[in-house]
Amino acid sequence: MPVIAGLALLRYSVRIGIPSGHPRIILVHSILVFPFVFLIARSRLLTFDDRLEQASRVLGANRPETFLNVVLPILTSSIIAGIFIAFIISFGEFTATQFLVTPDTTTVPIIIYNQIQTGLSPEISALATVLVGLMIVFGVVGDFVT
């Protein structure tokens, strides 16, 4: 699936004229993680009590105030969880990213893969250790937030 998605998104981005490099990588990764983030946010919205929003409106708040003071605090945990999930999925999306990188723009997984192909260096081992530490921190923070 990632190979097909990578090729299809590469072909589509070329067709609509998105420049290669960072814009194309950002667009493709956004498209790949959107379904996961949408499902997380949607699950929270399904349990959202509309009466809270109505009560805020009855008490005199306008739409922006209601959104900022009632809706956004309720959705914050799902938004943060979606950001974490999007980062992890995007970071691990190696196969589709292979089709999009250029010599000037690359991602950390591609750099790690290229370095491993030429030989394991201490820099890659240190980077892998830092990444494992970051994933543990994200997991712990994610448990406290959600």
Side-chain angles (χ1 to χ4, degrees), residues 6-122:
L7 283 172
L9 292 169
L10 173 65
R11 188 169 179 199
Y12 181 70
S13 64
V14 168
R15 175 174 249 160
I16 62 173
I18 295 174
S20 63
H22 292 296
R24 193 174 290 170
I25 291 173
I26 291 169
L27 174 71
V28 169
H29 280 255
S30 298
I31 291 170
L32 291 173
V33 301
F34 178 76
F36 300 101
V37 175
F38 174 77
L39 289 175
I40 292 169
R42 183 175 178 263
S43 67
R44 183 63 186 119
L45 284 172
L46 288 175
T47 61
F48 181 72
D49 189 4
D50 292 336
R51 293 178 296 176
L52 296 172
E53 190 174 1
Q54 291 171 359
S56 174
R57 299 280 297 168
V58 166
L59 291 172
N62 59 21
R63 288 189 188 271
E65 289 174 337
T66 299
F67 178 77
L68 289 175
N69 296 325
V70 177
V71 178
L72 191 59
I74 292 172
L75 296 179
T76 301
S77 62
S78 63
I79 291 170
I80 292 172
I83 290 169
F84 283 149
I85 294 293
F87 173 77
I88 291 169
I89 291 171
S90 179
F91 189 82
E93 192 54 59
F94 172 78
T95 311
T97 308
Q98 276 184 310
F99 297 104
L100 305 168
V101 295
T102 63
D104 297 333
T105 59
T106 188
T107 61
V108 174
I110 300 290
I111 292 171
I112 292 172
Y113 177 76
N114 289 336
Q115 290 289 328
I116 289 175
Q117 293 295 340
T118 60
L120 195 57
S121 67

